[in-house]
Amino acid sequence: MRSVGVLTLGCKVNTYESEFIINELKNNGYEIKEFDDICDVYIINTCTVTNSSDSKSKKMIRQAIKRNPNACVVAMGCFCQFREKEISNLIDADIIIGNKNKSKILDYLEEFYKSNTRIIDFYDMNNVNFEDMEVKKYNHHHRAFISFPNKPFNTFSSRFKFSFGKASLTAVKILSVKSFLRTLICSF
């Protein structure tokens, strides 16, 4: 059984996605450990809202590599997506993905362990629908949450460089939200 430590940086969307990833890994035989433990796999769900979040993303990736040089290190999320063209030179992660296909982490890990080759995978996020990830159980939080955007994600804030990095959340269907809420309520 492989062990995995997951670290989430940034927003509640990242937190939600990380909970989904933890559940998927746990349900498929991975032992979930603290990120600070010695693990076989480290997953860092990155953030790029500010320059300091970029630095923290890089720092956490370096720490994982230093903690266990033989581990598979996965970097995913906004920092990777926003720095798509230069990311392979900025970090030494084994698997680097943007904000699409986080739900396919098991496939990426399987491919990496079969080929032992670095994987880098990005998509143009301008026309990508919200990835359907249903969290059935919250393992690392005392409160479950669901988040809806209060403004379009394709807007640019001069204070933050967060733009064009996330898929459109407006693609979430009302029926999916009802189903998610029903499942969430029944899990408590």
Side-chain angles (χ1 to χ4, degrees):
M1 175 188 304
R2 289 192 174 112
S3 60
V4 63
V6 178
L7 178 70
T8 305
L9 303 172
C11 66
K12 289 188 179 195
V13 173
N14 278 5
T15 302
Y16 181 87
E17 292 167 344
S18 292
E19 280 297 322
F20 174 85
I21 289 166
I22 288 167
N23 282 322
E24 285 292 295
L25 293 167
K26 192 173 184 178
N27 292 337
N28 284 278
Y30 282 81
E31 177 188 5
I32 307 302
K33 291 177 131 183
E34 295 298 317
F35 186 79
D36 294 334
D37 292 341
I38 301 296
C39 299
D40 300 311
V41 178
Y42 293 98
I43 298 173
I44 302 96
N45 198 352
T46 64
C47 177
T48 192
V49 171
T50 65
N51 287 334
S52 64
S53 60
D54 283 359
S55 296
K56 188 164 186 176
S57 294
K58 289 188 280 188
K59 179 181 175 185
M60 295 297 105
I61 294 163
R62 284 193 307 270
Q63 281 183 7
I65 293 167
K66 185 177 180 183
R67 192 172 302 119
N68 183 359
N70 297 318
C72 173
V73 177
V74 180
M76 61 173 57
C78 294
F79 173 68
C80 300
Q81 184 71 44
F82 192 76
R83 301 288 186 118
E84 173 186 354
K85 292 183 180 10
E86 57 192 328
I87 196 71
S88 62
N89 296 321
L90 285 176
I91 60 173
D92 289 328
D94 299 300
I95 301 172
I96 303 171
I97 57 176
N99 277 322
K100 184 172 190 258
N101 291 334
K102 289 181 184 181
S103 65
K104 296 183 174 152
I105 188 62
L106 290 167
D107 295 335
Y108 286 114
L109 288 170
E110 184 179 327
E111 182 182 338
F112 175 78
Y113 282 114
K114 279 183 183 175
S115 69
N116 202 25
T117 305
R118 190 177 202 197
I119 299 167
I120 301 174
D121 198 3
F122 291 100
Y123 291 86
D124 176 4
M125 295 302 291
N126 289 322
N127 297 314
V128 173
N129 288 333
F130 185 71
E131 202 168 351
D132 190 22
M133 293 186 229
E134 185 176 345
V135 174
K136 296 185 187 285
K137 182 177 181 187
Y138 279 82
N139 297 295
H140 291 85
H141 297 280
H142 300 292
R143 294 182 185 171
F145 56 83
I146 186 167
S147 179
F148 296 98
N150 58 6
K151 66 179 184 177
F153 274 91
N154 290 350
T155 60
F156 186 79
S157 166
S158 59
R159 184 172 163 214
F160 299 114
K161 60 184 174 182
F162 177 68
S163 70
F164 313 116
K166 294 279 188 190
S168 171
L169 292 181
T170 57
V172 177
K173 298 180 181 124
I174 296 298
L175 292 175
S176 296
V177 174
K178 284 182 181 179
S179 172
F180 166 75
L181 289 173
R182 190 175 299 114
T183 301
L184 191 61
I185 290 166
C186 291
S187 71
F188 285 99

